């Protein structure tokens, strides 16, 4: 669980993962969601800068959850966490900021990896009409939505493939050829790996802005709502 971001777009004083959503810090909700899925045996969380001790104090003792320092960006944070994952048949990477992801999505991702897929992402259709817009604000084209999807986390991987993808990403960076990747599946694609999807869920939304946080709070307080 990469949770080392600052939450600049959220704009809170505390780093985003530590911001409470309906009274409970997002990172704790994210970890609870994983452990509550019944298919996750251990969690490694990367702490926001300077918050290692704070986060360790919040999480339950007993070794199921390990807290380590993250890195300067998401790739580095995931890489740091991977160093603390030893034996695993499946590795999930899950944004702390997607803390309301339903357990069914977690289980679907794990099951798909177990059926022999190296990289699995939850995906949902795009509802808005998409246009390519130039820097001057002029519409260049309407993008055909067919075949487009928004992808979420947790993303699931066979450990060898995820480690290979990260090793390559880090090596490319050191060589000055790093490409910015906003998800781990993208790193697998970059090494030629196949990525497949399972149905995502709107509740696995990434909380990025104050509006997202307000909507997530409304979801939690509303209780079960239809999709
Ligand atoms: N993340 C991380 N390490 C970083 C940057 C981001 O572990 N150096 C994590 C965030 O904590 C978050 C996830 O990656 O759980 C997705 O990132 P994002 O939503 O962009 O969160 P922030 O980087 O915190 O937000 P912002 O970009 O607005 O500052
Ligand atoms: Mg960010």
């Amino acid at each position: 669980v990469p949770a080392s971001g600052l939450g600049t777009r959220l704009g809170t004083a505390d780093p985003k993962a530590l911001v409470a959503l309906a009274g409970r810090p997002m990172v704790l909700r994210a970890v609870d969601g994983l452990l509550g899925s019944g298919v996750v045996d251990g969690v490694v969380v990367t702490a926001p800068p300077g918050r290692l001790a704070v986060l360790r104090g919040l999480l339950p003792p007993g070794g199921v959850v390990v807290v380590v320092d993250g890195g300067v960006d998401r790739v580095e944070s995931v890489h740091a966490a991977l160093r603390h994952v030893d034996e695993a048949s499946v590795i999930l990477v899950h944004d702390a900021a997607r803390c309301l992801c339903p357990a069914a999505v977690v289980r679907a991702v794990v099951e798909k990896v177990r059926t022999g897929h190296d990289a699995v992402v939850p995906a949902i259709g795009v509802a808005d009409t998409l246009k390519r817009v130039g820097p001057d604000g002029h519409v260049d084209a309407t993008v055909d939505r067919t075949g487009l999807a928004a992808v979420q986390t947790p993303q699931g991987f066979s450990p060898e493939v995820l480690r290979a993808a990260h090793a390559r990403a880090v090596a490319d960076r050191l060589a000055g050829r790093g490409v910015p990747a906003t998800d781990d599946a993208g790193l697998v694609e970059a090494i030629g790996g196949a990525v497949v999807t399972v149905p995502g869920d709107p509740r696995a939304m990434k909380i990025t802005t104050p509006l997202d946080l307000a909507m997530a709070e409304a979801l939690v307080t509303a209780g079960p709502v239809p999709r």
Side-chain angles (χ1 to χ4, degrees), residues 42-44 78 80-88 90-92 159 163:
V43 180
V44 181
V78 173
L82 277 177
R83 284 199 288 271
H84 297 268
V85 178
D86 6 82
E87 281 170 44
V90 176
I91 299 180
L92 301 177
R163 289 184 196 282

Side-chain angles (χ1 to χ4, degrees), residues 17 33-34 52 55 91 130 148 161 186:
L34 289 170
L52 195 68
L55 195 48
I91 299 180
L130 300 177
L148 286 185
V161 168

Side-chain angles (χ1 to χ4, degrees), residues 166-178:
H166 269 269
R168 172 72 77 83
V170 169
D172 281 354
R173 270 180 187 210
L174 289 175
R177 316 186 283 266

Side-chain angles (χ1 to χ4, degrees), residues 2-9 16 46 71-74 77 95-97 206:
S4 302
L6 297 178
T8 315
R9 288 167 289 179
K16 183 159 76 179
T46 70
V72 293
D73 62 19
R74 190 182 177 285
S77 292
D95 291 332
K206 185 158 74 69

